[in-house]
Amino acid sequence: MGLSPDNFHGLTLAVSSSIFIGASFIMKKKGLIKAGTKGIRAGSGGYTYLYEPLWWVGMISMIVGEIANFAAYAFAPAILVTPLGALSIIVSAVLAHFVLEEKLHIFGVLGCALCVVGSISIVLHAPQEKPIHSVKQVWQHATQPGFIVYTFLVLIVVAVLIFRYVPRYGHTHMVVYVGICSLMGSLTVMSVKAVGIALKLTFSEMNQFKYFETWVFVLVVTVCCVFQLNYLNKALDTFNTAIIAPVYYVMFTIFTILASVILFKDWESQNGAQIVTELCGFITILSGTFLLHKTKDMGNDASKDKDPPLVESPNHVDTPSNTDSHR
């Protein structure tokens, strides 16, 4: 059974999106490294990277990738588009090896594989979205008690992470920065879907921008994106890119699916087998994330190990204290 023209267009856009986004991690990282030699690093609260052209190239690449991903959903169903986001992990890891000379231990590779398999399992068995024909419909869903509670919980957790855990653990636990990006990202995607519906209906001569709800969603997208970019920069400047990409993908996927289930109540159409499969996917993801966390610094002691890491970086094997100085 072949792909329909619309699905083929969506597939092409989704693959292109992954390539652009995966490459953006590397270009932004290179820009952050160069900017760090000229002023205060982003991980320490500096914004010197804003004057670094290479960082802006990465930023543009990420924007192009996100636009392509956004457009893909207009042609193909989410069940086809979302799993392809895992390709950005592969692109990022390969480029990090050749461009940044960052290492990825064999257990890190296994962790990446578990994350990708678990995420694909969840997405492929996620509930189908109900058709939405108006921004007002999305607004009605978003103002239901369930999603309001979820939104407040996300904002509370993000505030606690920013004011309590970032100063203490931001430079040693990447889950702090990535958690902020992922939580805010779940709200971003829900708002992006609303704005996408507004654009699609507007192009069909049903103007949705005359409703204030549309502009509220636009505002939410803008604010959430600013938060995501700020803390993603801090994460990239502090930790290994090959580890950041899969963990960010995993956490982002989990919270996005959770937000979508709460917002659109698609879980009502699921059977027991689908729910069990999704739970198995979550367990697989957690296992992969655990491996990534436990082995993220394993390569730093490669000089003392008998077995060398799968990917080696000369910048991180000189002294045992390099991990601390890098962070």
Side-chain angles (χ1 to χ4, degrees):
M1 183 174 66
L3 287 173
S4 67
D6 279 350
N7 279 2
F8 177 77
H9 292 148
L11 174 64
T12 303
L13 286 167
V15 172
S16 300
S17 169
S18 294
I19 293 173
F20 278 110
I21 292 175
S24 75
F25 277 99
I26 307 304
M27 289 184 284
K28 289 173 70 178
K29 176 78 172 188
K30 289 283 286 185
L32 289 167
I33 292 173
K34 291 183 65 176
T37 64
K38 303 174 184 178
I40 302 175
R41 294 174 53 177
S44 301
Y47 295 93
T48 312
Y49 61 85
L50 293 175
Y51 301 97
E52 180 56 50
L54 190 57
W55 183 87
W56 283 106
V57 173
M59 188 70 251
I60 293 172
S61 177
M62 177 170 280
I63 292 173
V64 171
E66 294 296 349
I67 291 175
N69 190 56
F70 178 82
Y73 283 100
F75 291 96
I79 197 170
L80 173 64
V81 176
T82 307
L84 295 177
L87 292 178
S88 64
I89 298 174
I90 300 173
V91 172
S92 180
V94 171
L95 291 179
H97 168 44
F98 290 105
V99 178
L100 300 178
E101 297 183 330
E102 291 185 349
K103 58 197 164 297
L104 188 61
H105 199 275
I106 185 62
F107 290 109
V109 175
L110 178 59
C112 288
L114 288 172
C115 289
V116 173
V117 170
S119 297
I120 291 176
S121 176
I122 290 176
V123 171
L124 291 180
H125 295 86
Q128 293 287 343
E129 293 181 347
K130 299 175 183 177
I132 301 294
H133 305 289
S134 168
V135 170
K136 286 186 172 292
Q137 281 183 263
V138 182
W139 181 261
Q140 290 174 355
H141 286 300
T143 52
Q144 292 296 312
F147 192 72
I148 290 177
V149 170
Y150 173 80
T151 301
F152 274 105
L153 286 176
V154 166
L155 295 177
I156 291 172
V157 172
V158 167
V160 171
L161 288 174
I162 291 175
F163 295 109
R164 181 175 177 82
Y165 288 98
V166 166
R168 298 182 181 182
Y169 306 110
H171 294 282
T172 56
H173 295 72
M174 66 176 169
V175 71
V176 176
Y177 288 145
V178 177
I180 294 172
C181 296
S182 302
L183 286 166
M184 297 302 289
S186 68
L187 298 181
T188 302
V189 171
M190 297 303 102
S191 298
V192 162
K193 294 178 79 65
V195 175
I197 291 170
L199 287 171
K200 185 175 181 180
L201 292 175
T202 298
F203 289 144
S204 300
E205 299 183 351
M206 291 183 288
N207 184 18
Q208 299 292 301
F209 287 88
K210 62 183 179 180
Y211 303 124
F212 83 92
E213 292 91 344
T214 303
W215 295 104
V216 171
F217 287 124
V218 170
L219 178 62
V220 172
V221 169
T222 303
V223 173
C224 290
C225 282
V226 170
F227 269 91
Q228 285 180 259
L229 290 175
N230 183 38
Y231 287 97
L232 181 58
N233 284 331
K234 293 179 184 293
L236 287 172
D237 191 47
T238 308
F239 302 101
N240 191 314
T241 307
I243 305 299
I244 289 288
V247 174
Y248 176 53
Y249 168 76
V250 167
M251 295 183 68
F252 174 79
T253 301
I254 289 174
F255 288 121
T256 298
I257 292 178
L258 177 61
S260 181
V261 167
I262 294 173
L263 179 62
F264 297 109
K265 297 182 175 62
D266 295 319
W267 51 269
E268 293 177 344
S269 62
Q270 285 193 294
N271 57 41
Q274 290 174 311
I275 295 174
V276 170
T277 303
E278 288 177 359
L279 290 175
C280 291
F282 273 109
I283 294 172
T284 304
I285 287 175
L286 292 175
S287 301
T289 304
F290 177 79
L291 269 180
L292 286 169
H293 273 290
K294 299 301 288 185
T295 64
K296 70 180 188 299
D297 294 323
M298 187 176 290
N300 292 333
D301 299 323
S303 60
K304 299 185 292 184
D305 294 337
K306 293 181 180 179
D307 298 323
L310 183 66
V311 183
E312 210 170 40
S313 171
N315 297 328
H316 293 265
V317 296
D318 295 331
T319 65
S321 60
N322 261 354
T323 301
D324 294 332
S325 61
H326 175 62
R327 291 179 183 175

